[in-house]
């Protein structure tokens, strides 16, 4: 899931570098034609390159279950992560209504020349992101990294607001340097969050509701894009560039307040155990037996699917014990 998030982040990064350069060659209309062509390429990849499964099985760790939506929406930790992806993409969309104009004012670049700044800025942000992600995972410091990253995002928006207001940062080399530093901070924070949040949502979700939780998470992401574009545009209409960055700064502050109470994320993984035919009356008893296995954090048995969904700590997990329990069941 972290790799999926990184791929999304890198695709955005590639697009904002390539977009201005391509627009100078093929025009804005050409960008939309290119988008349509890429959509058809995506369809072709799905049809001809993605392997077809020999047998299709319904798995709650990969598919949304409508009956579990209410349960997922009542989980405070999952709601914090949903708001996180909502806020991240609202800030992203709103910011880029204004960033090109800030670059034009600070560096004198036209919209077709923005890639000259985006390319080195994005390269620097990726270099800074990698050690932070490694530190967060290896040292179990994800909560601290999460909060510091939100602060970094807020600082970047504050600097861009000052740049848009034309006060306190100076002009010329000083102003340009602060804008570039703010963009490096912004993209570093964005890339860290884009890589971390999909992984966090799967670690936090109940083992049998992972598909439902990720579905709501993705919906929150695209809702954030919509709200960021709509309200960011409204803020621009009321107070220009300053209004946009005041809006993004406000969203970031709300996000920080919401994140302060987050529980420290566990370093957990998912594990599916096939059970065969299971009577509904046995499901609770079997889940209790699996719960008692070393390294099992939570076990849910879904009788109609014949599957046990486990959340596990791999460092302590006794796979052999789970195998003995499921093997006894299948022999019976």
């Amino acid at each position: 899931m972290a790799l999926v998030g990184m791929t999304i982040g890198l695709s955005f990064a590639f697009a904002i570098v390539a977009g201005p350069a391509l627009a100078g060659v093929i025009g804005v209309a050409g960008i939309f034609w290119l988008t349509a062509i890429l959509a058809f390429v995506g369809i072709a990849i799905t049809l001809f390159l993605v392997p077809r499964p020999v047998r299709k099985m319904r798995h709650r760790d990969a598919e949304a279950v409508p009956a579990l939506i209410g349960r997922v929406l009542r989980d405070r930790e999952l709601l914090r992560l949903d708001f996180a992806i909502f806020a991240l993409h609202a800030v992203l969309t709103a910011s880029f209504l204004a960033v090109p104009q800030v670059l034009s004012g600070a560096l004198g670049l036209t919209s077709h020349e923005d890639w000259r700044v985006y390319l080195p800025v994005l390269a620097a942000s990726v270099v800074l992101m990698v050690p932070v992600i490694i530190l967060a995972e290896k040292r179990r410091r994800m909560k601290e990294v999460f909060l510091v990253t939100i602060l970094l995002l807020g600082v970047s928006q504050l600097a861009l607001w000052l740049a848009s207001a034309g006060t306190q940062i100076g002009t010329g080399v000083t102003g340009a340097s602060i804008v570039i530093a703010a963009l490096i901070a912004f993209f570093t924070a964005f890339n860290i969050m884009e890589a971390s949040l999909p992984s966090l949502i799967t670690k936090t979700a109940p083992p049998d509701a992972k598909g439902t939780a990720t579905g709501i998470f993705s919906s929150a992401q695209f809702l954030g894009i919509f709200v960021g574009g709509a309200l960011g545009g409204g803020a621009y209409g009321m107070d220009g560039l300053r209004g946009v960055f005041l809006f993004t700064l406000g969203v970031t502050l709300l996000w920080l307040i919401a994140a302060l109470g987050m529980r420290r994320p566990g370093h957990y993984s998912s594990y599916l155990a096939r059970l065969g035919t299971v009577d509904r009356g046995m499901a609770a008893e079997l889940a209790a037996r699996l719960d008692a296995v070393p390294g099992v954090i939570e076990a849910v048995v879904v009788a109609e699917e014949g599957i046990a969904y486990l959340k596990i700590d791999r460092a302590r997990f006794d796979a052999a014990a789970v195998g003995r329990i499921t093997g006894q069941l299948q022999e019976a």
Side-chain angles (χ1 to χ4, degrees), residues 168-237:
Q168 301 181 31
I169 66 167
T171 55
V173 174
T174 302
S177 298
I178 290 178
V179 169
I180 291 172
L183 289 175
I184 292 173
F186 174 83
F187 281 113
T188 301
F190 175 80
N191 287 331
I192 290 171
M193 284 296 180
E194 199 72 23
S196 301
L197 284 169
S199 176
L200 284 174
I201 201 80
T202 58
K203 290 176 181 177
T204 305
D208 63 326
K210 192 168 69 173
T212 306
T214 54
I216 293 172
F217 176 82
S218 296
S219 298
Q221 174 181 342
F222 292 107
L223 182 61
I225 292 171
F226 167 75
V227 170
L231 296 188
Y236 181 81

Side-chain angles (χ1 to χ4, degrees), residues 285-302:
E285 179 187 348
L286 185 57
R289 290 178 63 191
L290 292 169
D291 261 328
V293 173
V296 174
I297 308 301
E298 185 179 356
V300 177
V301 174
V302 181

Side-chain angles (χ1 to χ4, degrees), residues 111-177:
S111 60
H112 295 162
E113 297 173 323
D114 288 349
W115 67 271
R116 297 178 183 178
V117 173
Y118 293 146
L119 184 59
V121 161
L122 287 164
S125 70
V126 170
V127 170
L128 292 170
M129 172 196 72
V130 172
V132 173
I133 294 294
I134 293 173
L135 173 68
E137 290 290 344
K138 285 194 173 182
R139 301 290 180 87
R140 306 291 195 268
R141 298 294 185 189
M142 183 55 75
K143 179 177 179 178
E144 291 84 351
V145 168
F146 195 85
L147 294 175
V148 170
T149 300
I150 299 172
L151 279 172
L152 183 63
L153 189 69
V155 168
S156 74
Q157 297 306 295
L158 178 60
L160 290 170
W161 175 74
L162 292 173
S164 67
T167 60
Q168 301 181 31
I169 66 167
T171 55
V173 174
T174 302
S177 298

